[in-house]
Amino acid sequence: MSSHESGRKLIAVIPGDGVGTEVITQAVRVLDVYKKKCALPLDLWHLDLGADRFLRDGTTFPNEVANRIACEASAVLLGALGDPRVPALDYARDILFGLRLGLDLYANVRPVIALHDRLVPLKGKAKEDVQFVVFRENTEGSYSGIGGQFKRGTPDEIAINEDVNTRKGVERLIVAGFEYAKKKGHAVVHLADKSNAMRHAHELWLRTFFEVAARYPGIEAKHLYIDALCLLLVRDPAQFRVIVTNNLFGDIVTDLGAALQGGLGMAASANLHACDPERVAMFEPVHGSAPSLAGKDEANPFASVLTVGMMLSHLGYTGEDSRLEGIVARAVSEGRCTRDVGGSLGTHASGDFIVGELERSLDARVATLFQRAD
Ligand code: IPM
Ligand code: MN
């Protein structure tokens, strides 16, 4: 539970780098519409963190900020991190992993939902064929940071990154996937691992998966090796509803997923401590800072708009994810979108369309409420 002013929700906003600032500007416009039209009690706390700040004064992710987020915020809205001026990217890892690991946001939930037939690049497939969600373990695996380099820069160099898989970490992520499937009424959950080669770490995934599955008798549990999953995602994605997997495979497979749903400009995500909905959560588009697009008003803001939908729904405003999905789908269908998804608008102008439609939709909702009250 956050200790922010009672009844109000504090949202930490970190636009970050590159196109992150442009897409988060549009996301904030969407939140402003909700504040104006529905008086949502959201207080936005804009944080100047990212490459510019790091280059200015060396700040990456201060402890005071991390502590205030943990104690007071209800959610974090993050744009993107990464800047060619800072090739080492340590500042970006400090912020991103400071949030994911620091807040123990173990479930990275990445919907791969195509909102329009035109967005699906597979021959003969339509949006109905691309309707699944990836649950990516978000706090361990190859991202643990454990490892090192030895004899660096010599011909005998050794580089090690450990793949850390704990029973607790694996189980809670798998449980999150099954709980989601149960809530949504999905009949099947897939595990993707590489237990044929990674026989220690991924055997733990395999064993835990079927143990957890036994607690959900109405849901079929199916196992695939990650390479086979990649093949099937392209050949026949319609069979998937929920996929649970480790940190690295989840990262990779959700870029493949993004391609199936219209590109990275359409892919939203939530980072949750899934077993406790009261805990602060973090929301970010799947795409990166895209330095080559930055500052040109070309980036697609829809991933961030959809991410706001996930955030609102998590904060208890259920149905707002579907409302925003519907509006984004209409924008795509009418070509009121950026070039990557078949339109000719800039970032801001496609945000204008979303804001206008959202205002209309919320006005209509308020009108219906008043009619009912009459
Ligand atoms: C993502 C990104 C990050 C990740 C990078 C920036 C470390 O690719 O969120 O998908 O690998 O998790
Ligand atoms: Mn990624």
Side-chain angles (χ1 to χ4, degrees), residues 249-272:
F249 295 171
D251 175 46
I252 297 167
V253 95
T254 52
D255 262 40
L256 198 168
L260 301 178
Q261 70 190 131
L264 281 164
M266 299 300 294
S269 86
N271 299 260
L272 310 174

Side-chain angles (χ1 to χ4, degrees), residues 153-324:
T154 76
D156 298 324
E157 178 160 2
I158 296 170
I160 294 172
N161 269 101
E162 294 292 355
D163 180 17
V164 176
N165 296 265
T166 66
R167 170 75 199 207
K168 173 180 152 190
V170 169
E171 180 165 349
R172 65 184 182 170
L173 184 274
I174 293 173
V175 166
F178 275 96
E179 282 296 318
Y180 173 84
K182 188 171 141 191
K183 192 169 124 211
K184 296 283 178 182
H186 294 317
V188 59
V189 174
H190 284 84
L191 164 71
D193 67 21
K194 192 65 190 164
S195 48
N196 51 352
M198 317 277 290
R199 64 188 187 92
H200 306 300
H202 290 193
E203 192 272 336
L204 172 64
W205 277 84
L206 189 56
R207 185 163 24 97
T208 308
F209 178 66
F210 285 108
E211 281 178 28
V212 171
R215 297 178 220 151
Y216 298 86
I219 300 173
E220 192 183 358
K222 289 190 170 178
H223 168 243
L224 284 169
Y225 299 124
I226 184 69
D227 45 354
L229 174 71
C230 290
L231 181 138
L232 291 171
L233 281 177
V234 173
R235 185 183 280 169
D236 178 23
Q239 64 189 287
F240 299 107
R241 288 292 169 270
V242 178
I243 297 169
V244 296
T245 193
N246 67 49
N247 206 338
L248 181 61
F249 295 171
D251 175 46
I252 297 167
V253 95
T254 52
D255 262 40
L256 198 168
L260 301 178
Q261 70 190 131
L264 281 164
M266 299 300 294
S269 86
N271 299 260
L272 310 174
H273 188 87
C275 61
D276 181 1
E278 295 293 324
R279 278 268 283 261
V280 56
M282 194 262 279
F283 299 83
E284 52 172 340
V286 175
H287 65 71
S289 59
S292 65
L293 290 184
K296 296 182 180 162
D297 192 44
E298 283 180 17
N300 183 349
F302 292 171
S304 289
V305 172
L306 297 167
T307 296
V308 165
M310 293 184 82
M311 181 174 89
L312 290 175
S313 160
H314 178 78
L315 293 175
Y317 308 111
T318 45
E320 295 313 317
D321 48 355
S322 317
R323 184 193 309 276
L324 288 170

